[in-house]
Amino acid sequence: MTEQRLEKEAVLRIGEVVALTGRKIFVAVDQDKNLAELFFDGDLLRNVAVGSYLDIKKGFISLIAKVEGENAQAIDERGATRTFQKEGTRILVLTLVGFVDRKGSFTGGTKELPLVGDEAFLLTRERIHQIHNLIGSQADLSIKFSQSDYEGYEISFPIDGLLNSHIAIFGNTGSGKSNTLAIIFQKFIEALRSRNTAAFISNCKILLFDFNGEYTAPSCLTEHKVVYRLSTRVDGASKIPLSPDELLDLEILSVLADATEKTQKPFLRRSISLLKKVRNSDDPEGYAQNILRQQITLILQMSDKIRASLLLDYLRQLLPLTVDGNGVSLELDHDLDWHNQSQEFTWNGSFLRSNPGSIPNTSVYQQASQYARSDNLIKEIIDFTYIQLIYDVLSNRALNEHVAPAINKLKSKQDDIQKIFDTESGTDLFSENVAVVALNDVNLDMRKTVPLLLARLAYRTHKESFSGKSLNIIIDEAHNILSKESFREAESWKDYRLETFEEIIKEGRKFGVFVTIASQRPSDISHTITSQAHNYFIHRLINQRDLQSIASAVSYIDRITEESIPTLPTGTCIFSGVAGQMPLKITVHPLDKELQPCSATLKYADCVPDPLGDLLG
């Protein structure tokens, strides 16, 4: 047995440590180990090269080191050349990445340094699995969707450690990031459904914001999902279920109205309070009509013509026009006059401030009885913002120019809100526990609003009822809503949007809320968000700003790995994060065609087939 073991070690031996300078380790390669591949124990092993790993034996401990460079001579940290062996000997430059203890457990980091003369060996398949199978991989819950790029061995990722964390997937278009996102969650859903379908459906929710409609195919991610294909362009598309109480939530309305914190948000709070008071009364319509009559009585006794005219304009938004005997529409104030000398309204020669008993005879007062509450909740909300604004102007509590923009914003979004949200069906957003929200047919304004609104609502609801359940929020093409350099919106609104997602990613983990972002422009995304991710999958990135953003967010990627990012082939990425002991270069398996997201690059050979080829075929 001893002879057999020594024979195996002789095959795997690469060389020995000849020097240590600072953190660098120099290994001289044996003259007979310069082949590209070695045959060992029925396996064809790739020989040592830059980017591979070696096992340095020091007593009963195996020190795992990564090859960062190769020279004919060793160059120390001061730049001086040092010759250790005869001319022509390969000198490998290594850095330690971890160690395997006597029990066979791999731990990342440096425990101790090797000694000069310690032997260095190629990693066996078993040792490779030890260091590449990530923490928790011995547990029941693990998934496989990739292989190590250098050795080609399958890698097992732990669900606990990967999916119960914040994940960032970065890469240029066509680099394979959509496939990576899809396969991670495809395998995650498959694993948990097969383990306990009922518990998975009950305890795990997944919400994916799909800006390009890539994940809407029937089998992508899972067959058991609900897809909301939203549209602001046509009627009859899918709608997001939103209960009346949720739409009447101050935070939700503030998002829809782009409301400012100090002025418009308190105004919306008062409007919602008034509307709820009316809706909860025994006779909501009669109550609203009485409010309008009271307001009209006060308006028609005002001495400020400009303010009175403004308030009459608000009433025109609420009340139908009167019609004469010939069917011709008349203005609300057609029977009123203004007396400049006494600064008051008159009706049929009667001064209304002096004779308020005549006010019920005016057309505008009588039209208050014609006010009808809208069946559409967003229209009713807008009506009550006008009613509240009349109250605020009468009491000098608010100025039109401060509050009107929030109302106008709601009015401008009214049609879009009606097309996107369903406040009548009473169904749940998660009719299946996996929900995909497709935003590719939604205008730019609502593309920013809907994810913010739904993410905030889902996070708040989950946080308030947290009982050991999980919520995964996935944002594909995350630069669309997490950009810190958007110039299409007010600075205060952009800050509010970013602060909301930053709160979710900073605090969500405590409540079982985990965020996954995928983007081709990591430099556009708030640094707070990118730096809070626990696990990173970094595909090919070429832009220098993106590379700098990655370097600052993922500080534990080594120099060799970082320099390889611009040249990564499609489907290959750098994995680095808390689910692993060290950064790994992995090749992600491509999904079967029916499971893939709709993000493949168009091929002209498919668009314009060869007629001769068809004929011969």
Side-chain angles (χ1 to χ4, degrees), residues 258-471:
D258 296 358
T260 58
E261 187 71 27
K262 295 183 179 180
T263 305
Q264 295 170 359
K265 198 169 179 180
F267 166 75
L268 288 177
R269 182 183 289 109
R270 296 193 295 273
S271 302
I272 294 170
S273 177
L274 178 62
L275 175 54
K276 288 182 176 179
K277 188 176 180 180
V278 170
R279 288 170 64 91
N280 293 331
S281 67
D282 294 335
D283 181 11
E285 200 150 288
Y287 194 168
Q289 292 171 357
N290 283 333
I291 289 174
L292 290 171
R293 292 190 192 98
Q294 180 190 50
Q295 291 181 334
I296 291 167
T297 300
L298 295 172
I299 293 169
L300 297 185
Q301 296 181 78
M302 292 177 68
S303 59
D304 186 336
K305 182 181 179 181
I306 295 176
R307 291 176 66 206
S309 298
L310 177 66
L311 296 179
L312 286 173
D313 284 339
Y314 296 155
L315 289 172
R316 289 187 180 94
Q317 306 296 325
L318 301 166
L319 302 178
L321 297 176
T322 57
V323 179
D324 65 11
N326 297 319
V328 177
S329 296
L330 302 173
E331 284 290 339
L332 283 175
D333 58 350
H334 71 278
D335 56 347
L336 298 175
D337 291 305
W338 181 262
H339 195 277
N340 285 323
Q341 187 173 356
S342 62
Q343 295 291 299
E344 63 181 304
F345 284 105
T346 64
W347 174 82
N348 282 351
S350 175
F351 290 87
L352 297 182
R353 189 165 67 245
S354 307
N355 300 286
S358 299
I359 291 176
N361 299 319
T362 63
S363 175
V364 63
Y365 187 95
Q366 292 173 1
Q367 284 301 102
S369 300
Q370 303 302 314
Y371 172 76
R373 293 171 58 237
S374 175
D375 292 334
N376 183 277
L377 182 54
I378 189 64
K379 173 63 169 64
E380 187 176 22
I381 291 171
I382 293 171
D383 283 354
F384 273 80
T385 59
Y386 278 112
I387 293 173
Q388 183 60 49
L389 183 54
I390 293 172
Y391 269 136
D392 287 357
V393 172
L394 285 169
S395 61
N396 293 316
R397 192 172 187 177
L399 296 176
N400 172 69
E401 54 268 28
H402 292 165
V403 173
I407 302 177
N408 293 334
K409 191 69 174 180
L410 278 178
K411 289 179 68 177
S412 70
K413 289 183 176 180
Q414 182 177 344
D415 289 343
D416 293 340
I417 294 170
Q418 290 176 210
K419 288 176 181 176
I420 288 178
F421 296 105
D422 174 15
T423 59
E424 298 177 2
S425 67
T427 56
D428 182 16
L429 172 66
F430 291 101
S431 55
E432 295 275 0
N433 66 318
V434 179
V436 176
V437 180
L439 299 160
N440 51 302
D441 201 27
V442 173
N443 62 39
L444 183 62
D445 197 9
M446 295 304 285
R447 279 164 72 98
K448 289 181 178 290
T449 302
V450 171
L452 172 59
L453 188 153
L454 290 182
R456 187 178 184 88
L457 177 62
Y459 171 64
R460 188 195 66 195
T461 303
H462 186 87
K463 181 179 176 181
E464 290 174 352
S465 60
F466 176 57
S467 58
K469 299 181 179 182
S470 74
L471 169 65

Side-chain angles (χ1 to χ4, degrees), residues 95 97 99-100 125 289 303 320 455 458 460 494 563 571 591:
T95 56
V97 297
F99 61 93
V100 178
R125 178 186 291 270
Q289 292 171 357
S303 59
R460 188 195 66 195
K494 179 176 68 177
E563 289 176 353
L591 283 163

Side-chain angles (χ1 to χ4, degrees), residues 86 90 101 106 120 215 231 238 253 456 479:
K86 64 182 181 180
R90 296 167 62 197
D101 60 23
F106 175 76
Y215 303 88
S231 176
S238 302
L253 273 185
R456 187 178 184 88
H479 50 272

